[in-house]
Amino acid sequence: MSPRSLQTRLLLTFVSLAVIGLGSVSALSGWRLTAEDFAHNERDLELHARLIADALREPLRQGDRGNVASGGRTLDALVTSYAQGIGGRVTLLDPQLNVTLSSDSTVPVQVQETHSEVTAARDGTLQSAIRWDEWSKQERMFIAAPVAERGQTLGFIQVSVPTAPIYAEMQQTWLTFLAIGSIVLLVTVAASTWVARQIAVPVQKLTTTSEQIAAGHLEKRVVPSGPNEIRRLGSAFNQMAERVQEMVAQQRVFVDNAAHELRSPLTGIRLRIEMLQTRGKNDAELTQHYLGQMEREVSYLQRLVDYLLALASVENRERVMPKTSLDLARILFEASDEMGAVVHQAGLTLETDMAEQLPSIEANADQMTILIRNLIDNAIKYTPRGGTITLTTSASSDEIEIRVTDTGIGIPPEQLPHIFDRFYRGDAARSRDPSLRSGGGAGLGLALVRAIAEAHGGRVQAESRVNAGSTFIVHLPLHK
Ligand SMILES: Nc1ncnc2c1ncn2[C@@H]1O[C@H](COP(=O)(O)OP(=O)(O)OP(=O)(O)O)[C@@H](O)[C@H]1O
Ligand SMILES: [Mg+2]
């Protein structure tokens, strides 16, 4: 593999194809045209020779050179005017092939002509010949024709023209071909360069941008350009880069939040250990107090780690998560039963309006339990005493719908879009309002609910009015 660039390769391919194609077509047509040109000149000369031979028959028969010939002109004048007419030389020979008269004064008279065209004429054929002419010192094309009447040869005429103009004409043809060829080649080179650039430049840009992204500049994008396919590649590349950047940003936020959430309880525990080491030795009450606080911090840490692990397992093992055909109604009844005591303890009422039978769905039982518990847990945490929590299910032909409604504090509209984000906690949760049981939340519950719903091909949405209550609706498709 030679290291040449894509652009150079494309260009070389286009140009060599053009040169081969154009070259062979021009050579062939040029050769044919010049050959025809030559044949045409030969035919012309032959025709002229016949015509002149015909025209001279009468004057030759009538008399000698110098006599008044047809139309009152001498033979000499006639020959000269014919020669002028064809732009060449006309020579008259007697039956013994001796030159008697020539339009060209350099040709000596009384010299016997023995060249091939003349001997051919004597034998009754017309044959052209090209050779160096010793009298005019140039190359000429010759042809000779007999002047005969009723089988009797009166003489011969030899006609010749210089070949230089014929060659000049042929050269002109070749030059024209060369000029057209060069123009076409230039256009081809320009067009090929353009096409090659159209392909190579965007590819080059994609490569550079990929390298930059690989080097950590995740914000780099390409401007999609070039032919359709390459432009689509550019757009797809941008989308991919966008997605990667988003994912990295999410991971970063997640790690930052997780570190932050883990740090504060750990600091709390360390501080209390230090206090106990210095002051707690003789103070049983203080020791008890700190131990109780530390236990709460540890259980918070435990919960946090459980959540993080659950989230990671839902997101990472989405595809391999074991799912079985599930009776969701039973799971929901069990969960509401189990949480009944907590609800009661919180001074709340749990109402259920659930179908005894739900169509079975392919789902993971543990995750479904986590999902429903989290929603009920939130309803408990964010509903003041005396409120009601309602659990409703319904099924349509293509999905199961689970609703958890409470009569709690509600969620302000500006917070609603964020409640499913990891580590997002509303004001009420952050203030750790003692009247509510919201303390200790990490803001991961709803993130987990959403991850589980999505891992089952479903979705979750929330509707809420401040001080009136909230409803969380989970849609789970029956068939994926
Ligand atoms: N039923 C609800 N009523 C009012 N606000 C709610 C309700 N459910 C959730 N929220 C709001 O949404 C936020 C996010 O809920 P999420 O369950 O993710 O976190 P959390 O309950 O604060 O903590 P965690 O569930 O991790 O213990 C909560 O902090 C709260 O502000
Ligand atoms: Mg929660």
Side-chain angles (χ1 to χ4, degrees), residues 303 307 374-375 377-379 381-383 406 408-411 415 419 421 424-429 438 440-447 464 470 472:
R303 227 163 93 83
Y307 266 152
N374 261 292
L375 291 178
D377 178 58
N378 279 353
K381 282 200 294 191
Y382 304 108
T383 309
D406 63 53
I409 58 170
I411 305 160
Q415 293 184 7
I419 56 173
D421 294 350
Y424 181 83
R425 282 187 309 231
D427 295 337
S438 56
L444 286 173
L446 286 180
S464 185
S470 315
F472 286 83

PDB file of all heavy atoms in Angstrom, residues 303 307 374-375 377-379 381-383 406 408-411 415 419 421 424-429 438 440-447 464 470 472, ligand 1:
ATOM      1  N   ARG A 303     -28.157   2.813  52.580  1.00  0.00           N
ATOM      2  CA  ARG A 303     -29.233   3.045  51.622  1.00  0.00           C
ATOM      3  C   ARG A 303     -28.673   3.627  50.315  1.00  0.00           C
ATOM      4  O   ARG A 303     -29.035   3.190  49.212  1.00  0.00           O
ATOM      5  CB  ARG A 303     -30.211   4.059  52.230  1.00  0.00           C
ATOM      6  CG  ARG A 303     -31.659   3.689  52.122  1.00  0.00           C
ATOM      7  CD  ARG A 303     -32.437   4.525  53.103  1.00  0.00           C
ATOM      8  NE  ARG A 303     -32.943   5.753  52.480  1.00  0.00           N
ATOM      9  CZ  ARG A 303     -34.067   5.798  51.766  1.00  0.00           C
ATOM     10  NH1 ARG A 303     -34.770   4.698  51.598  1.00  0.00           N
ATOM     11  NH2 ARG A 303     -34.486   6.904  51.239  1.00  0.00           N
ATOM     12  N   TYR A 307     -28.823   2.003  46.692  1.00  0.00           N
ATOM     13  CA  TYR A 307     -29.433   2.696  45.558  1.00  0.00           C
ATOM     14  C   TYR A 307     -28.474   2.740  44.378  1.00  0.00           C
ATOM     15  O   TYR A 307     -28.837   2.454  43.241  1.00  0.00           O
ATOM     16  CB  TYR A 307     -29.779   4.139  45.935  1.00  0.00           C
ATOM     17  CG  TYR A 307     -31.191   4.325  46.408  1.00  0.00           C
ATOM     18  CD1 TYR A 307     -31.505   5.353  47.291  1.00  0.00           C
ATOM     19  CD2 TYR A 307     -32.227   3.520  45.949  1.00  0.00           C
ATOM     20  CE1 TYR A 307     -32.793   5.564  47.741  1.00  0.00           C
ATOM     21  CE2 TYR A 307     -33.524   3.724  46.390  1.00  0.00           C
ATOM     22  CZ  TYR A 307     -33.806   4.742  47.278  1.00  0.00           C
ATOM     23  OH  TYR A 307     -35.072   4.948  47.686  1.00  0.00           O
ATOM     24  N   ASN A 374     -40.593   2.584  46.193  1.00  0.00           N
ATOM     25  CA  ASN A 374     -40.068   3.951  46.134  1.00  0.00           C
ATOM     26  C   ASN A 374     -41.173   4.982  45.975  1.00  0.00           C
ATOM     27  O   ASN A 374     -41.122   6.046  46.574  1.00  0.00           O
ATOM     28  CB  ASN A 374     -39.073   4.079  44.986  1.00  0.00           C
ATOM     29  CG  ASN A 374     -37.657   3.985  45.489  1.00  0.00           C
ATOM     30  OD1 ASN A 374     -37.199   4.885  46.186  1.00  0.00           O
ATOM     31  ND2 ASN A 374     -36.996   2.893  45.175  1.00  0.00           N
ATOM     32  N   LEU A 375     -42.158   4.643  45.141  1.00  0.00           N
ATOM     33  CA  LEU A 375     -43.250   5.596  44.930  1.00  0.00           C
ATOM     34  C   LEU A 375     -44.073   5.745  46.218  1.00  0.00           C
ATOM     35  O   LEU A 375     -44.438   6.865  46.605  1.00  0.00           O
ATOM     36  CB  LEU A 375     -44.129   5.148  43.759  1.00  0.00           C
ATOM     37  CG  LEU A 375     -43.449   5.243  42.381  1.00  0.00           C
ATOM     38  CD1 LEU A 375     -44.379   4.729  41.283  1.00  0.00           C
ATOM     39  CD2 LEU A 375     -43.011   6.674  42.078  1.00  0.00           C
ATOM     40  N   ASP A 377     -42.968   5.109  49.233  1.00  0.00           N
ATOM     41  CA  ASP A 377     -42.060   5.748  50.192  1.00  0.00           C
ATOM     42  C   ASP A 377     -42.083   7.271  50.050  1.00  0.00           C
ATOM     43  O   ASP A 377     -42.185   8.009  51.026  1.00  0.00           O
ATOM     44  CB  ASP A 377     -40.646   5.201  49.944  1.00  0.00           C
ATOM     45  CG  ASP A 377     -39.614   5.828  50.861  1.00  0.00           C
ATOM     46  OD1 ASP A 377     -39.795   5.717  52.080  1.00  0.00           O
ATOM     47  OD2 ASP A 377     -38.643   6.434  50.355  1.00  0.00           O
ATOM     48  N   ASN A 378     -42.031   7.739  48.811  1.00  0.00           N
ATOM     49  CA  ASN A 378     -42.108   9.188  48.573  1.00  0.00           C
ATOM     50  C   ASN A 378     -43.444   9.746  49.045  1.00  0.00           C
ATOM     51  O   ASN A 378     -43.492  10.787  49.701  1.00  0.00           O
ATOM     52  CB  ASN A 378     -41.952   9.495  47.083  1.00  0.00           C
ATOM     53  CG  ASN A 378     -40.494   9.496  46.650  1.00  0.00           C
ATOM     54  OD1 ASN A 378     -39.607   9.390  47.493  1.00  0.00           O
ATOM     55  ND2 ASN A 378     -40.260   9.596  45.360  1.00  0.00           N
ATOM     56  N   ALA A 379     -44.529   9.039  48.691  1.00  0.00           N
ATOM     57  CA  ALA A 379     -45.867   9.508  49.080  1.00  0.00           C
ATOM     58  C   ALA A 379     -45.944   9.638  50.606  1.00  0.00           C
ATOM     59  O   ALA A 379     -46.483  10.623  51.129  1.00  0.00           O
ATOM     60  CB  ALA A 379     -46.926   8.547  48.559  1.00  0.00           C
ATOM     61  N   LYS A 381     -43.343  10.113  52.607  1.00  0.00           N
ATOM     62  CA  LYS A 381     -42.439  11.166  53.074  1.00  0.00           C
ATOM     63  C   LYS A 381     -43.001  12.565  52.832  1.00  0.00           C
ATOM     64  O   LYS A 381     -42.769  13.471  53.613  1.00  0.00           O
ATOM     65  CB  LYS A 381     -41.087  11.044  52.350  1.00  0.00           C
ATOM     66  CG  LYS A 381     -40.209   9.959  52.908  1.00  0.00           C
ATOM     67  CD  LYS A 381     -38.740  10.145  52.549  1.00  0.00           C
ATOM     68  CE  LYS A 381     -38.483  10.002  51.071  1.00  0.00           C
ATOM     69  NZ  LYS A 381     -37.053   9.928  50.752  1.00  0.00           N
ATOM     70  N   TYR A 382     -43.718  12.724  51.728  1.00  0.00           N
ATOM     71  CA  TYR A 382     -44.123  14.079  51.366  1.00  0.00           C
ATOM     72  C   TYR A 382     -45.611  14.345  51.586  1.00  0.00           C
ATOM     73  O   TYR A 382     -46.170  15.232  50.965  1.00  0.00           O
ATOM     74  CB  TYR A 382     -43.699  14.378  49.931  1.00  0.00           C
ATOM     75  CG  TYR A 382     -42.210  14.182  49.742  1.00  0.00           C
ATOM     76  CD1 TYR A 382     -41.698  13.111  49.015  1.00  0.00           C
ATOM     77  CD2 TYR A 382     -41.315  15.053  50.364  1.00  0.00           C
ATOM     78  CE1 TYR A 382     -40.337  12.915  48.888  1.00  0.00           C
ATOM     79  CE2 TYR A 382     -39.949  14.867  50.247  1.00  0.00           C
ATOM     80  CZ  TYR A 382     -39.461  13.791  49.506  1.00  0.00           C
ATOM     81  OH  TYR A 382     -38.111  13.594  49.408  1.00  0.00           O
ATOM     82  N   THR A 383     -46.250  13.549  52.465  1.00  0.00           N
ATOM     83  CA  THR A 383     -47.659  13.816  52.785  1.00  0.00           C
ATOM     84  C   THR A 383     -47.804  14.010  54.310  1.00  0.00           C
ATOM     85  O   THR A 383     -47.399  13.131  55.078  1.00  0.00           O
ATOM     86  CB  THR A 383     -48.558  12.643  52.331  1.00  0.00           C
ATOM     87  OG1 THR A 383     -48.268  12.356  50.970  1.00  0.00           O
ATOM     88  CG2 THR A 383     -50.026  12.974  52.480  1.00  0.00           C
ATOM     89  N   ASP A 406     -51.075  10.895  46.088  1.00  0.00           N
ATOM     90  CA  ASP A 406     -51.101  11.295  47.491  1.00  0.00           C
ATOM     91  C   ASP A 406     -51.763  12.660  47.628  1.00  0.00           C
ATOM     92  O   ASP A 406     -51.983  13.342  46.630  1.00  0.00           O
ATOM     93  CB  ASP A 406     -49.686  11.294  48.085  1.00  0.00           C
ATOM     94  CG  ASP A 406     -48.787  12.301  47.400  1.00  0.00           C
ATOM     95  OD1 ASP A 406     -49.166  13.488  47.316  1.00  0.00           O
ATOM     96  OD2 ASP A 406     -47.694  11.899  46.923  1.00  0.00           O
ATOM     97  N   GLY A 408     -50.392  15.072  49.392  1.00  0.00           N
ATOM     98  CA  GLY A 408     -49.291  15.704  50.110  1.00  0.00           C
ATOM     99  C   GLY A 408     -48.987  17.130  49.702  1.00  0.00           C
ATOM    100  O   GLY A 408     -49.836  17.837  49.149  1.00  0.00           O
ATOM    101  N   ILE A 409     -47.721  17.506  49.913  1.00  0.00           N
ATOM    102  CA  ILE A 409     -47.326  18.909  49.738  1.00  0.00           C
ATOM    103  C   ILE A 409     -47.206  19.310  48.267  1.00  0.00           C
ATOM    104  O   ILE A 409     -47.172  20.492  47.952  1.00  0.00           O
ATOM    105  CB  ILE A 409     -45.966  19.180  50.433  1.00  0.00           C
ATOM    106  CG1 ILE A 409     -44.879  18.248  49.858  1.00  0.00           C
ATOM    107  CG2 ILE A 409     -46.085  19.006  51.944  1.00  0.00           C
ATOM    108  CD1 ILE A 409     -43.483  18.614  50.308  1.00  0.00           C
ATOM    109  N   GLY A 410     -47.129  18.316  47.381  1.00  0.00           N
ATOM    110  CA  GLY A 410     -47.042  18.626  45.952  1.00  0.00           C
ATOM    111  C   GLY A 410     -45.645  19.073  45.551  1.00  0.00           C
ATOM    112  O   GLY A 410     -44.755  19.233  46.395  1.00  0.00           O
ATOM    113  N   ILE A 411     -45.483  19.246  44.270  1.00  0.00           N
ATOM    114  CA  ILE A 411     -44.165  19.633  43.729  1.00  0.00           C
ATOM    115  C   ILE A 411     -44.339  20.910  42.912  1.00  0.00           C
ATOM    116  O   ILE A 411     -45.171  20.949  42.002  1.00  0.00           O
ATOM    117  CB  ILE A 411     -43.599  18.514  42.822  1.00  0.00           C
ATOM    118  CG1 ILE A 411     -43.543  17.183  43.585  1.00  0.00           C
ATOM    119  CG2 ILE A 411     -42.208  18.876  42.296  1.00  0.00           C
ATOM    120  CD1 ILE A 411     -43.475  15.971  42.695  1.00  0.00           C
ATOM    121  N   GLN A 415     -39.864  22.564  39.677  1.00  0.00           N
ATOM    122  CA  GLN A 415     -39.042  21.423  40.107  1.00  0.00           C
ATOM    123  C   GLN A 415     -39.433  20.137  39.376  1.00  0.00           C
ATOM    124  O   GLN A 415     -38.635  19.194  39.286  1.00  0.00           O
ATOM    125  CB  GLN A 415     -39.207  21.205  41.619  1.00  0.00           C
ATOM    126  CG  GLN A 415     -38.625  22.342  42.429  1.00  0.00           C
ATOM    127  CD  GLN A 415     -38.703  22.084  43.922  1.00  0.00           C
ATOM    128  OE1 GLN A 415     -39.074  20.998  44.357  1.00  0.00           O
ATOM    129  NE2 GLN A 415     -38.370  23.095  44.695  1.00  0.00           N
ATOM    130  N   ILE A 419     -37.263  16.144  38.993  1.00  0.00           N
ATOM    131  CA  ILE A 419     -37.363  15.181  40.108  1.00  0.00           C
ATOM    132  C   ILE A 419     -36.850  13.785  39.755  1.00  0.00           C
ATOM    133  O   ILE A 419     -36.482  13.035  40.636  1.00  0.00           O
ATOM    134  CB  ILE A 419     -38.823  15.084  40.647  1.00  0.00           C
ATOM    135  CG1 ILE A 419     -39.767  14.710  39.511  1.00  0.00           C
ATOM    136  CG2 ILE A 419     -39.229  16.377  41.331  1.00  0.00           C
ATOM    137  CD1 ILE A 419     -41.178  14.437  39.999  1.00  0.00           C
ATOM    138  N   ASP A 421     -34.127  13.297  38.037  1.00  0.00           N
ATOM    139  CA  ASP A 421     -32.661  13.346  37.902  1.00  0.00           C
ATOM    140  C   ASP A 421     -32.025  12.717  39.129  1.00  0.00           C
ATOM    141  O   ASP A 421     -32.535  12.814  40.232  1.00  0.00           O
ATOM    142  CB  ASP A 421     -32.170  14.799  37.794  1.00  0.00           C
ATOM    143  CG  ASP A 421     -32.641  15.456  36.511  1.00  0.00           C
ATOM    144  OD1 ASP A 421     -33.169  14.736  35.641  1.00  0.00           O
ATOM    145  OD2 ASP A 421     -32.498  16.689  36.412  1.00  0.00           O
ATOM    146  N   TYR A 424     -31.358  14.573  42.663  1.00  0.00           N
ATOM    147  CA  TYR A 424     -32.166  15.791  42.781  1.00  0.00           C
ATOM    148  C   TYR A 424     -33.111  15.643  43.961  1.00  0.00           C
ATOM    149  O   TYR A 424     -33.853  14.672  44.089  1.00  0.00           O
ATOM    150  CB  TYR A 424     -32.971  16.058  41.503  1.00  0.00           C
ATOM    151  CG  TYR A 424     -33.775  17.335  41.647  1.00  0.00           C
ATOM    152  CD1 TYR A 424     -33.184  18.572  41.405  1.00  0.00           C
ATOM    153  CD2 TYR A 424     -35.088  17.302  42.113  1.00  0.00           C
ATOM    154  CE1 TYR A 424     -33.884  19.747  41.609  1.00  0.00           C
ATOM    155  CE2 TYR A 424     -35.794  18.475  42.325  1.00  0.00           C
ATOM    156  CZ  TYR A 424     -35.185  19.691  42.071  1.00  0.00           C
ATOM    157  OH  TYR A 424     -35.880  20.850  42.288  1.00  0.00           O
ATOM    158  N   ARG A 425     -33.077  16.627  44.815  1.00  0.00           N
ATOM    159  CA  ARG A 425     -34.018  16.667  45.937  1.00  0.00           C
ATOM    160  C   ARG A 425     -34.737  18.000  45.923  1.00  0.00           C
ATOM    161  O   ARG A 425     -34.131  19.036  45.683  1.00  0.00           O
ATOM    162  CB  ARG A 425     -33.280  16.525  47.275  1.00  0.00           C
ATOM    163  CG  ARG A 425     -32.869  15.108  47.588  1.00  0.00           C
ATOM    164  CD  ARG A 425     -32.319  15.005  48.968  1.00  0.00           C
ATOM    165  NE  ARG A 425     -31.296  16.003  49.198  1.00  0.00           N
ATOM    166  CZ  ARG A 425     -30.098  15.721  49.684  1.00  0.00           C
ATOM    167  NH1 ARG A 425     -29.778  14.499  50.018  1.00  0.00           N
ATOM    168  NH2 ARG A 425     -29.242  16.687  49.881  1.00  0.00           N
ATOM    169  N   GLY A 426     -36.019  17.945  46.195  1.00  0.00           N
ATOM    170  CA  GLY A 426     -36.802  19.171  46.242  1.00  0.00           C
ATOM    171  C   GLY A 426     -36.493  19.938  47.521  1.00  0.00           C
ATOM    172  O   GLY A 426     -35.782  19.451  48.407  1.00  0.00           O
ATOM    173  N   ASP A 427     -37.037  21.161  47.576  1.00  0.00           N
ATOM    174  CA  ASP A 427     -36.798  22.013  48.752  1.00  0.00           C
ATOM    175  C   ASP A 427     -37.213  21.310  50.035  1.00  0.00           C
ATOM    176  O   ASP A 427     -36.493  21.317  51.024  1.00  0.00           O
ATOM    177  CB  ASP A 427     -37.582  23.316  48.629  1.00  0.00           C
ATOM    178  CG  ASP A 427     -37.071  24.125  47.454  1.00  0.00           C
ATOM    179  OD1 ASP A 427     -35.897  23.892  47.063  1.00  0.00           O
ATOM    180  OD2 ASP A 427     -37.842  24.941  46.923  1.00  0.00           O
ATOM    181  N   ALA A 428     -38.413  20.677  49.991  1.00  0.00           N
ATOM    182  CA  ALA A 428     -38.960  20.033  51.192  1.00  0.00           C
ATOM    183  C   ALA A 428     -38.005  18.953  51.688  1.00  0.00           C
ATOM    184  O   ALA A 428     -37.734  18.835  52.885  1.00  0.00           O
ATOM    185  CB  ALA A 428     -40.316  19.416  50.887  1.00  0.00           C
ATOM    186  N   ALA A 429     -37.445  18.197  50.736  1.00  0.00           N
ATOM    187  CA  ALA A 429     -36.550  17.119  51.113  1.00  0.00           C
ATOM    188  C   ALA A 429     -35.249  17.671  51.687  1.00  0.00           C
ATOM    189  O   ALA A 429     -34.693  17.137  52.639  1.00  0.00           O
ATOM    190  CB  ALA A 429     -36.254  16.257  49.895  1.00  0.00           C
ATOM    191  N   SER A 438     -39.066  13.195  55.564  1.00  0.00           N
ATOM    192  CA  SER A 438     -38.279  13.200  54.343  1.00  0.00           C
ATOM    193  C   SER A 438     -36.770  13.145  54.583  1.00  0.00           C
ATOM    194  O   SER A 438     -36.013  13.027  53.638  1.00  0.00           O
ATOM    195  CB  SER A 438     -38.590  14.463  53.542  1.00  0.00           C
ATOM    196  OG  SER A 438     -38.352  15.586  54.364  1.00  0.00           O
ATOM    197  N   GLY A 440     -32.907  12.324  55.213  1.00  0.00           N
ATOM    198  CA  GLY A 440     -32.075  11.180  54.834  1.00  0.00           C
ATOM    199  C   GLY A 440     -32.182  10.777  53.391  1.00  0.00           C
ATOM    200  O   GLY A 440     -31.477   9.888  52.953  1.00  0.00           O
ATOM    201  N   GLY A 441     -33.062  11.405  52.600  1.00  0.00           N
ATOM    202  CA  GLY A 441     -33.197  11.055  51.188  1.00  0.00           C
ATOM    203  C   GLY A 441     -31.963  11.484  50.406  1.00  0.00           C
ATOM    204  O   GLY A 441     -31.331  12.478  50.736  1.00  0.00           O
ATOM    205  N   ALA A 442     -31.625  10.694  49.397  1.00  0.00           N
ATOM    206  CA  ALA A 442     -30.442  11.022  48.586  1.00  0.00           C
ATOM    207  C   ALA A 442     -30.836  11.599  47.233  1.00  0.00           C
ATOM    208  O   ALA A 442     -30.005  12.048  46.474  1.00  0.00           O
ATOM    209  CB  ALA A 442     -29.608   9.768  48.382  1.00  0.00           C
ATOM    210  N   GLY A 443     -32.127  11.568  46.936  1.00  0.00           N
ATOM    211  CA  GLY A 443     -32.556  12.058  45.624  1.00  0.00           C
ATOM    212  C   GLY A 443     -32.342  11.025  44.540  1.00  0.00           C
ATOM    213  O   GLY A 443     -32.229  11.362  43.363  1.00  0.00           O
ATOM    214  N   LEU A 444     -32.269   9.765  44.944  1.00  0.00           N
ATOM    215  CA  LEU A 444     -32.020   8.712  43.941  1.00  0.00           C
ATOM    216  C   LEU A 444     -33.245   7.850  43.658  1.00  0.00           C
ATOM    217  O   LEU A 444     -33.273   7.108  42.683  1.00  0.00           O
ATOM    218  CB  LEU A 444     -30.878   7.805  44.415  1.00  0.00           C
ATOM    219  CG  LEU A 444     -29.483   8.407  44.325  1.00  0.00           C
ATOM    220  CD1 LEU A 444     -28.469   7.491  44.982  1.00  0.00           C
ATOM    221  CD2 LEU A 444     -29.102   8.663  42.879  1.00  0.00           C
ATOM    222  N   GLY A 445     -34.266   7.946  44.540  1.00  0.00           N
ATOM    223  CA  GLY A 445     -35.426   7.062  44.420  1.00  0.00           C
ATOM    224  C   GLY A 445     -36.102   7.134  43.056  1.00  0.00           C
ATOM    225  O   GLY A 445     -36.297   6.109  42.386  1.00  0.00           O
ATOM    226  N   LEU A 446     -36.420   8.350  42.630  1.00  0.00           N
ATOM    227  CA  LEU A 446     -37.151   8.487  41.362  1.00  0.00           C
ATOM    228  C   LEU A 446     -36.261   8.171  40.148  1.00  0.00           C
ATOM    229  O   LEU A 446     -36.755   7.677  39.143  1.00  0.00           O
ATOM    230  CB  LEU A 446     -37.752   9.884  41.243  1.00  0.00           C
ATOM    231  CG  LEU A 446     -38.972  10.142  42.142  1.00  0.00           C
ATOM    232  CD1 LEU A 446     -39.493  11.563  41.945  1.00  0.00           C
ATOM    233  CD2 LEU A 446     -40.091   9.149  41.871  1.00  0.00           C
ATOM    234  N   ALA A 447     -34.960   8.458  40.298  1.00  0.00           N
ATOM    235  CA  ALA A 447     -34.034   8.087  39.215  1.00  0.00           C
ATOM    236  C   ALA A 447     -34.086   6.580  39.005  1.00  0.00           C
ATOM    237  O   ALA A 447     -34.101   6.082  37.867  1.00  0.00           O
ATOM    238  CB  ALA A 447     -32.622   8.538  39.546  1.00  0.00           C
ATOM    239  N   SER A 464     -48.611  17.095  39.461  1.00  0.00           N
ATOM    240  CA  SER A 464     -48.640  17.557  40.844  1.00  0.00           C
ATOM    241  C   SER A 464     -49.160  18.984  40.966  1.00  0.00           C
ATOM    242  O   SER A 464     -48.992  19.790  40.044  1.00  0.00           O
ATOM    243  CB  SER A 464     -47.232  17.489  41.435  1.00  0.00           C
ATOM    244  OG  SER A 464     -47.277  17.817  42.785  1.00  0.00           O
ATOM    245  N   SER A 470     -49.759  14.827  44.667  1.00  0.00           N
ATOM    246  CA  SER A 470     -49.041  14.416  43.458  1.00  0.00           C
ATOM    247  C   SER A 470     -49.531  13.045  43.002  1.00  0.00           C
ATOM    248  O   SER A 470     -50.008  12.253  43.814  1.00  0.00           O
ATOM    249  CB  SER A 470     -47.541  14.294  43.743  1.00  0.00           C
ATOM    250  OG  SER A 470     -47.089  15.393  44.488  1.00  0.00           O
ATOM    251  N   PHE A 472     -48.025   9.859  40.584  1.00  0.00           N
ATOM    252  CA  PHE A 472     -46.974   9.277  39.743  1.00  0.00           C
ATOM    253  C   PHE A 472     -47.601   8.143  38.942  1.00  0.00           C
ATOM    254  O   PHE A 472     -48.262   7.271  39.511  1.00  0.00           O
ATOM    255  CB  PHE A 472     -45.811   8.772  40.605  1.00  0.00           C
ATOM    256  CG  PHE A 472     -44.983   9.912  41.134  1.00  0.00           C
ATOM    257  CD1 PHE A 472     -45.364  10.599  42.280  1.00  0.00           C
ATOM    258  CD2 PHE A 472     -43.853  10.315  40.452  1.00  0.00           C
ATOM    259  CE1 PHE A 472     -44.620  11.675  42.749  1.00  0.00           C
ATOM    260  CE2 PHE A 472     -43.107  11.390  40.914  1.00  0.00           C
ATOM    261  CZ  PHE A 472     -43.488  12.078  42.062  1.00  0.00           C
TER     262      PHE A 472
HETATM  263  N1  LIG B   1     -44.928  12.243  46.333  1.00  0.00           N
HETATM  264  C1  LIG B   1     -44.200  13.354  46.322  1.00  0.00           C
HETATM  265  N2  LIG B   1     -44.708  14.526  46.767  1.00  0.00           N
HETATM  266  C2  LIG B   1     -43.966  15.646  46.748  1.00  0.00           C
HETATM  267  N3  LIG B   1     -42.699  15.714  46.300  1.00  0.00           N
HETATM  268  C3  LIG B   1     -42.139  14.581  45.854  1.00  0.00           C
HETATM  269  C4  LIG B   1     -42.856  13.349  45.847  1.00  0.00           C
HETATM  270  N4  LIG B   1     -42.047  12.407  45.322  1.00  0.00           N
HETATM  271  C5  LIG B   1     -40.863  13.010  45.042  1.00  0.00           C
HETATM  272  N5  LIG B   1     -40.923  14.311  45.352  1.00  0.00           N
HETATM  273  C6  LIG B   1     -39.849  15.314  45.146  1.00  0.00           C
HETATM  274  O1  LIG B   1     -38.948  14.785  44.234  1.00  0.00           O
HETATM  275  C7  LIG B   1     -37.629  14.727  44.767  1.00  0.00           C
HETATM  276  C8  LIG B   1     -36.912  13.527  44.277  1.00  0.00           C
HETATM  277  O2  LIG B   1     -37.490  12.329  44.737  1.00  0.00           O
HETATM  278  P1  LIG B   1     -36.585  11.078  44.957  1.00  0.00           P
HETATM  279  O3  LIG B   1     -37.443   9.939  45.401  1.00  0.00           O
HETATM  280  O4  LIG B   1     -35.763  10.907  43.774  1.00  0.00           O
HETATM  281  O5  LIG B   1     -35.635  11.545  46.148  1.00  0.00           O
HETATM  282  P2  LIG B   1     -35.863  11.578  47.677  1.00  0.00           P
HETATM  283  O6  LIG B   1     -37.183  10.965  48.020  1.00  0.00           O
HETATM  284  O7  LIG B   1     -35.634  12.984  48.132  1.00  0.00           O
HETATM  285  O8  LIG B   1     -34.686  10.711  48.191  1.00  0.00           O
HETATM  286  P3  LIG B   1     -34.533   9.103  48.117  1.00  0.00           P
HETATM  287  O9  LIG B   1     -35.718   8.600  47.380  1.00  0.00           O
HETATM  288  O10 LIG B   1     -33.269   8.922  47.434  1.00  0.00           O
HETATM  289  O11 LIG B   1     -34.494   8.649  49.518  1.00  0.00           O
HETATM  290  C9  LIG B   1     -37.856  14.717  46.241  1.00  0.00           C
HETATM  291  O12 LIG B   1     -36.752  15.251  46.930  1.00  0.00           O
HETATM  292  C10 LIG B   1     -39.084  15.581  46.412  1.00  0.00           C
HETATM  293  O13 LIG B   1     -38.738  16.945  46.439  1.00  0.00           O
END
